[in-house]
Amino acid sequence: MSTSSNNLMVAFGAALVAIVLTVASSVAFLDSTSVARVVVDAPQAIHLAAGN
């Protein structure tokens, strides 16, 4: 295997890892914001339930 082909495979692997990590962090961020939204909405929901 030539050096240029080897470098290309390493670059491709690094790009793939970067894409996977970006997607994973985006999913984690969306999960954390949805959890925060539930925490913020919970007192209002409790108040509405108590009112009924």
Side-chain angles (χ1 to χ4, degrees), residues 29-48:
F29 176 74
L30 290 176
D31 282 348
S32 66
T33 53
S34 63
V35 168
R37 191 177 309 122
V38 168
V39 170
V40 169
D41 289 344
Q44 184 180 6
I46 292 168
H47 181 71
L48 289 173

Side-chain angles (χ1 to χ4, degrees), residues 1 3-5 9-13 18-19 21-22 25 28 30 36 39-40 42 44 47-48:
M1 199 171 200
T3 304
S4 61
S5 295
M9 291 300 293
V10 169
F12 181 73
I19 291 170
L21 289 177
T22 302
S25 64
L30 290 176
V39 170
V40 169
Q44 184 180 6
H47 181 71
L48 289 173

